[in-house]
């Protein structure tokens, strides 16, 4: 039996600044009225009238009062993010969709509460910062950074139970549902409250790090450019290529220091904690957003807040999921008639949708019409995950289907999920060469279809794990046992993550050289390899 009390969230209406105006395709007044009628039927709880196709949590009957109490408490707790931060991300994703920025999204497959500690948080922040710097250099483009952290505690499972040593146990559903230990498999509603406070603590430390200069390009712990000796790289030619990029980066930073360009008081940081401090320049701090998959709808509902909106196409009050900046629908939860789509269609947050070979082009169009009725640029991020053997068969049809609409989406490639394999020893892993093949094929397919790949999405960690084979370390299946720590899917380790960043940078360097030789723009007319260098 499932216990989901009809708890109503408490509206939170603080004073807010005017939201930035976002570009959108024109729609008729008739369409606006129709959309308004459609949204009038939505509420944070309207999903309860729909079928939940995945992640139904069955709590024991004796826990009903505890669940009621937990959801009530969550509804009274303050938001974890502000509407201003959400709108800042909306604006940046609109720029991503228009080819003015590149999206880098990454983090753990499934966080556990134990990851809420200093070293773990710093290592994830560090690897994403370093990857973004490499891509900025190669692509000459601004970067939007979104981490899979501070809330990625739910784990989608294909079966509610699993058999271990002949005994059946509830599947591990993520730390916000139950524990990995066999004696902790009974769903515990108190874990929802634990998830909130672990998310809050993680975000508080990230904000503190960024506000105290952790992202400063001169900060030794975050960047360590002079320590990038690439001893892990087995191929001498690749090592030389990596070192060449780092040397050029160091030269550029030295030049900026000499002329004083890295402390430009006219380019004050847009980081909320530093907004009034003109001594911070774009080389000293960055914008950093968080995200998670929206699986547990009772949790998401209690953290949905009603805030005023200045958008001319929005309802009088706009609802925000205040637990994160960015939510995404998984491949299992994007059913058009399902509860998850019903919830997602009403929130103002930017949202992602995982798309795979199981989605028909016409279904994708219908889904976009539901999730993006106002045709807002960058509102929806399509995260493609086909596998290296299927991307060529299915991605072109999806691209052409979207091009036939008024929707202006962010196209993002997740080359991880479609490339999971199991070794002869029964160990789940991924092959680096398959990941790279899908990523590079996706770049090429977009270019040949008059489109543009706007971003990437990876499961990664800043730690020295051995979960994915290959890369510049040339890890083998025999190496997997050395440090395989994931409780979910295999991740890229620190070195493999940098490998990916260098490959993307090299791709864009090639595009830039071709532009110069051709004397014009490439692909869809906006050009690749933007010269707009902002962090």
């Amino acid at each position: 039996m499932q216990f989901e009390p009809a708890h109503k969230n408490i509206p939170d209406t603080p004073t807010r600044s005017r939201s930035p105006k976002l570009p959108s395709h024109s729609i008729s007044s008739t369409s606006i009225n129709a959309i308004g009628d459609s949204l009038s039927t939505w509420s944070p709880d309207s999903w309860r009238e729909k079928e939940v196709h995945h992640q139904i949590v069955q709590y024991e009957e004796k826990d009903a009062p505890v669940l009621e109490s937990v959801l009530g408490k969550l509804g009274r707790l303050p938001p974890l993010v502000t509407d201003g931060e959400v709108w800042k991300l909306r604006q940046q994703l609109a720029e991503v969709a228009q080819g003015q920025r590149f999206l880098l999204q990454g983090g753990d497959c499934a966080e556990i509460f134990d990851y809420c500690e200093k070293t773990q948080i710093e290592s994830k922040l560090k690897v994403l910062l370093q990857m973004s710097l490499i891509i900025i250099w190669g692509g000459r483009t601004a970067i939007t950074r979104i981490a899979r952290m501070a809330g990625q505690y739910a784990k989608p499972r294909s079966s509610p139970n699993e058999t271990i040593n002949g005994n059946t146990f509830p599947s591990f559903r993520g730390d916000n549902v139950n524990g990995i230990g066999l004696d902790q498999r009974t769903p515990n509603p108190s874990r929802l409250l634990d998830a909130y406070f672990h998310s809050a603590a993680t975000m508080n430390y990230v904000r503190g790090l960024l506000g105290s200069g952790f992202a400063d390009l001169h900060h030794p712990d975050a960047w360590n450019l002079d320590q990038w000796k690439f001893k892990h790289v087995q191929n001498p030619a690749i090592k030389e290529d990596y070192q060449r990029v780092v040397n050029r980066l160091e030269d550029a930073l030295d030049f900026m220091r000499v002329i004083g360009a890295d402390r430009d008081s006219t380019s004050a940081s847009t980081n909320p904690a530093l907004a009034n401090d003109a001594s911070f320049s774009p080389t000293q701090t960055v914008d950093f957003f968080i995200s998670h998959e929206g699986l547990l709808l009772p949790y998401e509902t209690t953290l949905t807040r009603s805030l005023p909106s200045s958008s001319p196409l929005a309802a009088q009050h706009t609802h925000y999921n205040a637990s994160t900046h960015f939510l995404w629908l998984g491949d299992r939860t994007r059913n058009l008639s399902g509860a998850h789509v019903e919830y997602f269609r009403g929130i103002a947050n930017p949202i992602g949708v995982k798309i795979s070979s199981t989605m028909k082009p016409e279904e994708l169009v219908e889904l976009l019409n539901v999730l993006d009725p106002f045709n807002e640029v960058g509102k929806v991020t399509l995260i493609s995950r086909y596998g290296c053997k299927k991307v060529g068969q299915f991605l072109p049809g999806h691209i052409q289907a979207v091009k036939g609409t008024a929707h202006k989406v962010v196209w993002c490639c997740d080359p991880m999920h479609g490339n999971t394999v199991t070794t002869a020893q029964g160990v789940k892993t991924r092959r680096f060469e398959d990941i790279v093949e899908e990523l590079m094929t996706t770049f090429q397919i977009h270019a040949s279809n008059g489109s543009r790949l706007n971003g990437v999405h990876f499961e990664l960690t800043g730690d020295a794990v051995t979960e994915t084979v290959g890369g510049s370390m040339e890890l083998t299946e025999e190496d997997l046992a050395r440090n395989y720590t994931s409780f979910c899917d295999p991740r890229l380790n620190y070195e493999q993550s940098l490998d990916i960043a260098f490959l993307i940078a090299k791709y864009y360097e090639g595009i830039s050289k071709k532009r110069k030789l051709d004397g014009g723009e490439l692909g869809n007319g906006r050009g690749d390899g933007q010269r707009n260098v902002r962090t």
Side-chain angles (χ1 to χ4, degrees):
M1 184 175 181
Q2 181 181 11
F3 294 91
E4 294 176 354
H7 173 77
K8 301 294 184 182
N9 62 296
I10 300 175
D12 183 82
T13 55
T15 303
R16 60 176 298 233
S17 58
R18 184 175 178 86
S19 304
K21 185 176 181 180
L22 298 177
S24 63
H25 293 276
S26 60
I27 54 178
S28 67
S29 58
T30 302
S31 298
I32 293 177
N33 292 334
I35 292 168
D37 292 341
S38 175
L39 290 181
S40 68
T41 66
W42 185 90
S43 75
D45 288 290
S46 60
W47 62 267
R48 298 182 188 277
E49 304 301 320
K50 305 285 186 175
E51 182 180 357
V52 180
H53 292 277
H54 197 70
Q55 202 69 7
I56 299 176
V57 178
Q58 301 286 349
Y59 294 104
E60 294 186 348
E61 188 169 356
K62 65 181 178 63
D63 289 327
V66 178
L67 178 62
E68 180 78 31
S69 175
V70 165
L71 294 178
K73 175 71 171 178
L74 287 170
R76 295 188 296 273
L77 287 168
L80 294 176
V81 302
T82 68
D83 62 304
E85 292 171 343
V86 171
W87 278 101
K88 180 182 290 185
L89 178 57
R90 286 285 304 271
Q91 181 63 52
Q92 288 195 15
L93 288 174
E95 294 174 6
V96 171
Q98 294 172 316
Q100 299 168 356
R101 282 180 168 268
F102 192 81
L103 170 63
L104 173 62
Q105 186 172 10
D108 289 299
C109 172
E111 285 182 282
I112 59 173
F113 293 156
D114 285 347
Y115 290 169
C116 183
E117 60 93 23
K118 178 180 182 293
T119 303
Q120 286 279 343
I121 295 170
E122 289 180 1
S123 67
K124 291 181 181 67
L125 183 58
K126 175 180 174 180
V127 70
L128 288 170
L129 289 175
Q130 291 184 357
M131 290 178 72
S132 66
L133 179 63
I134 295 167
I135 296 171
I136 287 169
W137 177 259
R140 300 297 195 269
T141 184
I143 289 284
T144 292
R145 305 164 187 85
I146 304 179
R148 293 171 56 116
M149 69 186 303
Q152 181 58 10
Y153 296 119
K155 175 181 169 66
R157 299 301 297 267
S158 56
S159 173
N161 300 303
E162 61 181 326
T163 301
I164 302 174
N165 297 326
N167 298 311
T168 300
F169 299 90
S171 296
F172 174 54
R173 307 284 290 277
D175 260 6
N176 59 359
V177 176
N178 56 4
I180 189 66
L182 297 181
D183 60 340
Q184 301 175 331
R185 292 299 180 90
T186 300
N188 181 352
S190 295
R191 285 177 170 270
L192 295 174
L193 205 55
D194 292 338
Y196 173 92
F197 286 113
H198 281 86
S199 297
T202 299
M203 293 180 64
N204 181 65
Y205 189 53
V206 169
R207 286 189 172 111
L209 285 172
L210 296 179
S212 59
F214 186 82
D216 188 337
L217 283 173
H218 316 304
H219 194 293
D221 293 335
W223 303 102
N224 285 336
L225 290 182
D226 58 342
Q227 299 297 318
W228 289 13
K229 302 305 181 185
F230 306 111
K231 295 179 180 179
H232 67 280
V233 180
Q234 300 299 307
N235 187 309
I238 294 177
K239 181 183 294 187
E240 182 179 352
D241 202 29
Y242 286 5
Q243 194 61 56
R244 175 183 58 84
V245 173
V246 172
N247 290 342
R248 291 166 63 191
L249 271 170
E250 288 184 310
D251 289 344
L253 291 173
D254 285 342
F255 176 76
M256 292 174 68
R257 279 191 289 268
V258 169
I259 67 173
D262 61 345
R263 285 188 177 272
D264 182 2
S265 61
T266 64
S267 301
S269 166
T270 57
N271 187 290
L274 308 172
N276 297 318
D277 191 342
S279 66
F280 282 90
S281 79
T283 66
Q284 295 176 288
T285 190
V286 299
D287 289 325
F288 196 85
F289 304 98
I290 62 162
S291 66
H292 65 257
E293 182 175 359
L295 281 173
L296 300 182
L297 293 179
Y299 177 83
E300 307 298 350
T301 299
T302 58
L303 287 167
T304 302
R305 302 290 187 262
S306 178
L307 302 173
S309 173
S310 61
S311 172
L313 296 178
Q316 183 175 0
H317 288 86
T318 299
H319 288 83
Y320 295 77
N321 183 303
S323 72
T324 191
H325 300 116
F326 181 99
L327 279 175
W328 75 85
L329 281 165
D331 203 41
R332 299 179 177 97
T333 55
R334 53 171 171 73
N335 189 290
L336 276 168
S337 62
H340 287 81
V341 170
E342 171 63 22
Y343 173 77
F344 271 67
R345 78 179 179 91
I347 58 176
N349 305 61
I351 57 178
V353 180
K354 291 288 188 82
I355 58 173
S356 69
S357 59
T358 62
M359 176 176 276
K360 298 177 180 178
E362 58 270 23
E363 180 188 0
L364 175 56
V365 171
E366 290 183 66
L367 187 58
L368 286 174
N369 289 339
V370 171
L371 297 176
D372 180 33
F374 298 115
N375 301 325
E376 295 174 280
V377 179
K379 164 67 174 176
V380 176
T381 296
L382 295 180
I383 309 168
S384 62
R385 41 149 298 176
Y386 304 99
C388 63
K389 305 304 181 186
K390 295 182 179 180
V391 60
Q393 179 181 356
F394 294 98
L395 178 56
H398 288 150
I399 292 174
Q400 293 304 323
V402 175
K403 287 184 68 176
T405 72
H407 301 288
K408 187 61 181 173
V409 303
V410 172
W411 281 103
C412 184
C413 175
D414 167 8
M416 305 290 289
H417 281 89
N419 293 303
T420 305
V421 297
T422 302
T423 69
Q425 291 72 38
V427 179
K428 186 189 293 187
T429 188
R430 288 160 176 156
R431 304 191 187 285
F432 189 82
E433 61 185 19
D434 293 342
I435 294 169
V436 172
E437 181 181 346
E438 179 168 357
L439 175 59
M440 292 303 153
T441 301
T442 300
F443 270 118
Q444 294 161 8
I445 290 174
H446 275 283
S448 63
N449 280 269
S451 179
R452 179 191 179 100
L453 180 61
N454 307 113
V456 288
H457 183 120
F458 295 103
E459 289 182 339
L460 56 80
T461 176
D463 300 329
V465 300
T466 53
E467 299 168 2
T468 296
V469 299
S472 61
M473 299 178 71
E474 299 184 359
L475 294 179
T476 66
E477 291 185 7
E478 288 70 30
D479 294 318
L480 295 177
R482 280 172 29 203
N483 194 25
Y484 197 111
T485 64
S486 176
F487 293 101
C488 188
D489 290 335
R491 301 162 293 178
L492 298 172
N493 62 23
Y494 171 75
E495 291 81 6
Q496 291 166 330
S497 299
L498 292 187
D499 288 341
I500 289 290
F502 278 114
L503 286 169
I504 295 173
K506 191 171 183 178
Y507 171 82
Y508 274 116
E509 281 187 308
I511 290 290
S512 181
K513 290 178 181 177
K514 189 175 188 305
R515 286 182 61 213
K516 291 178 181 178
L517 291 174
D518 293 347
E521 302 291 344
L522 291 178
N524 56 14
R526 291 190 304 273
D528 296 283
Q530 297 288 325
R531 309 303 295 181
N532 181 16
V533 187
R534 293 173 290 161
T535 56

